[in-house]
Amino acid sequence: MEKLQPTEDAAFEQIMREYGTRVLRLVTFLVKERNVAEDITQDVFVKVYRNLPRFRGQSTMQTWIYRIAVNECKGYLRSWAFRKIWPGSWIKAGSDASTEHVVMKQYERDELVEQVQSLPPMYRQVIVLHYYADLSIAEVANVLSVSEGSVRTRLHRARQQLKKRMGEGREWEWTRTSGSNN
């Protein structure tokens, strides 16, 4: 029996299952507003669907989709609506923590998220893509269409700003979820 080739719709459905939540989280971090992020994520996947036949495989599917998402976010952040209408606060999910330690850890994470959200977009992008989306320096450079040196510089400056804002005496772990440093 011949191998069955997936249809474009089936391939797209698989892409949506695999990347939908990750793209929504990435976009939410970048634009700071859940409702807007949902709209942008929908636009991202419309572009993915339309351009899927033209995907050449020169990068990973994840990098290609993240590049589309970052470009859509950049367009939104440059738009009239964003500049004239300040978005509401970013809603964070609460926790039913029962111990003081867990509550304090959650408070520290929330504080860090707020500080990352307050960074200028160029620094927020590299922090979110590298530490949150778990992309390597090379992948972040590819998504943002900049050199690896630029990514390293932006990461360094973003970390400096975060340290200054959150207090020099506090120790923060700057590790990606996979534990890799590249």
Side-chain angles (χ1 to χ4, degrees):
M1 195 175 242
E2 290 183 41
K3 231 181 188 181
L4 294 175
Q5 293 293 321
T7 65
E8 278 185 33
D9 288 344
F12 180 71
E13 193 174 311
Q14 180 180 350
I15 290 168
M16 284 289 298
R17 274 194 309 272
E18 188 170 342
Y19 298 105
T21 302
R22 288 190 264 174
V23 169
L24 178 60
R25 287 180 185 153
L26 171 69
V27 172
T28 302
F29 259 111
L30 295 175
V31 300
K32 305 180 190 181
E33 182 69 33
R34 177 69 181 213
N35 293 334
V36 173
E38 289 171 353
D39 292 342
I40 291 172
T41 300
Q42 185 175 7
D43 293 342
V44 166
F45 283 104
V46 166
K47 285 190 175 190
V48 168
Y49 182 78
R50 286 183 183 156
N51 294 299
L52 193 56
R54 291 190 291 277
F55 175 64
R56 296 181 305 246
Q58 292 177 327
S59 65
T60 66
M61 180 66 66
Q62 175 179 309
T63 301
W64 181 64
I65 293 170
Y66 281 6
R67 176 179 283 172
I68 293 170
V70 167
N71 287 338
E72 287 294 307
C73 291
K74 284 180 181 178
Y76 170 75
L77 293 172
R78 285 190 298 256
S79 73
W80 177 89
F82 176 75
R83 290 191 311 264
K84 299 295 181 194
I85 303 169
W86 183 253
S89 64
W90 191 41
I91 299 170
K92 297 176 215 57
S95 84
D96 295 327
S98 59
T99 66
E100 184 178 344
H101 177 72
V102 174
V103 170
M104 290 306 295
K105 283 292 187 191
Q106 183 63 43
Y107 173 77
E108 289 174 358
R109 277 193 297 272
D110 289 348
E111 185 182 2
L112 181 59
V113 166
E114 285 180 32
Q115 293 303 321
V116 169
Q117 289 294 316
S118 70
L119 289 172
M122 90 164 73
Y123 297 140
R124 187 170 60 238
Q125 289 169 353
V126 294
I127 291 287
V128 170
L129 289 169
H130 186 63
Y131 293 108
Y132 180 75
D134 203 28
L135 297 182
S136 69
I137 298 287
E139 291 170 324
V140 173
N142 192 354
V143 166
L144 298 177
S145 299
V146 298
S147 71
E148 289 182 30
S150 292
V151 171
R152 284 186 180 90
T153 300
R154 289 178 187 181
L155 277 172
H156 176 73
R157 290 179 181 163
R159 288 187 294 246
Q160 283 180 322
Q161 285 190 19
L162 287 171
K163 283 180 185 178
K164 182 185 274 185
R165 291 174 184 201
M166 297 190 71
E168 291 290 335
R170 294 173 76 177
E171 286 296 319
W172 296 100
E173 291 184 30
W174 293 106
T175 57
R176 293 171 49 215
T177 54
S178 67
S180 170
N181 288 326
N182 61 346

